């Protein structure tokens, strides 16, 4: 079993398509390892309910991924506080979207008031220069505040 890490995003205001969270290999780390995407989740945290609407979301594995920009690097938080830093870098709230060649895609929607929580029973794996990105695809009718994150397991030779 590998090491598990969470990349959370909290109270980000969105109104147009953007990257909510992503992970990409830390190219300064050696030896390389792989990442298995276990779970993604998102929910509305507005204090006053916004207009009811559907969110269109997508998770992708991108080959030769280049992360977006405009967001932040909150760090990856290990499930076990004794674990070392991950060989992957987590980013959140990128308003310029990540690029790369998609080779795995999972699209889904959710009602704004209920959110979504997806656990992948057949978890996709990335390695090399690949990464995962969790994206908001839809332009929302009124700006909303979202929180959520992704959970991944680092596996392989880098542990």
């Amino acid at each position: 079993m590998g090491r598990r890490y969470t990349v959370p995003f909290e109270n980000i205001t969105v109104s147009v398509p953007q990257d909510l969270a992503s992970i990409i290999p830390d190219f300064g780390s050696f030896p390389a390892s792989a990442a298995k995407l276990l779970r993604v989740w998102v929910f509305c945290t507005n204090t006053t309910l916004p207009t009811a609407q559907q969110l269109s979301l997508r998770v992708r594995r991108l080959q030769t991924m280049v992360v977006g920009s405009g967001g932040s690097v909150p760090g990856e938080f290990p499930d076990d506080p004794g674990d070392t830093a991950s060989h992957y870098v987590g980013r959140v709230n990128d308003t310029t979207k990540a690029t790369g060649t998609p080779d795995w895609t999972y699209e889904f929607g959710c009602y704004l008031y209920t959110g979504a929580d997806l656990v992948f029973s057949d978890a996709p794996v990335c390695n090399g220069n690949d990464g995962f990105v969790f994206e908001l695809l839809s332009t929302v009718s009124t700006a909303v505040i979202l929180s959520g994150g992704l959970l991944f397991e680092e596996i392989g030779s880098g542990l």
Side-chain angles (χ1 to χ4, degrees), residues 11 13 43-50 113 143-146:
N11 295 326
T13 301
F43 53 94
C44 177
T45 55
N46 288 57
T47 54
T48 303
L49 286 178
Y113 296 163
V144 295
I145 302 172
L146 300 177

Side-chain angles (χ1 to χ4, degrees), residues 46-128:
N46 288 57
T47 54
T48 303
L49 286 178
T51 304
Q53 53 195 302
Q54 286 285 119
L55 296 179
S56 178
L57 302 158
R58 173 172 64 192
V59 182
R60 294 190 298 166
R61 178 177 54 216
L62 298 175
Q63 295 176 345
T64 317
M65 181 174 163
V66 176
V67 293
S69 62
S72 63
V73 181
E76 310 73 47
F77 301 96
D79 277 3
D80 180 346
D83 279 348
T84 59
S86 173
H87 291 171
Y88 283 78
V89 175
R91 292 192 55 89
V92 297
N93 195 20
D94 280 328
T95 53
T96 302
K97 297 173 72 57
T99 60
T101 305
D103 71 347
W104 178 86
T105 302
Y106 188 88
E107 293 189 23
F108 61 101
C110 74
Y111 190 58
L112 180 64
Y113 296 163
T114 58
D117 189 356
L118 297 175
V119 177
F120 297 101
S121 58
D122 187 15
V125 176
C126 71
N127 56 28

Side-chain angles (χ1 to χ4, degrees), residues 16-32:
V16 295
Q18 70 175 69
D19 295 347
L20 300 174
S22 60
I23 60 168
I24 189 167
D26 179 359
F27 295 109
S29 296
F30 184 81

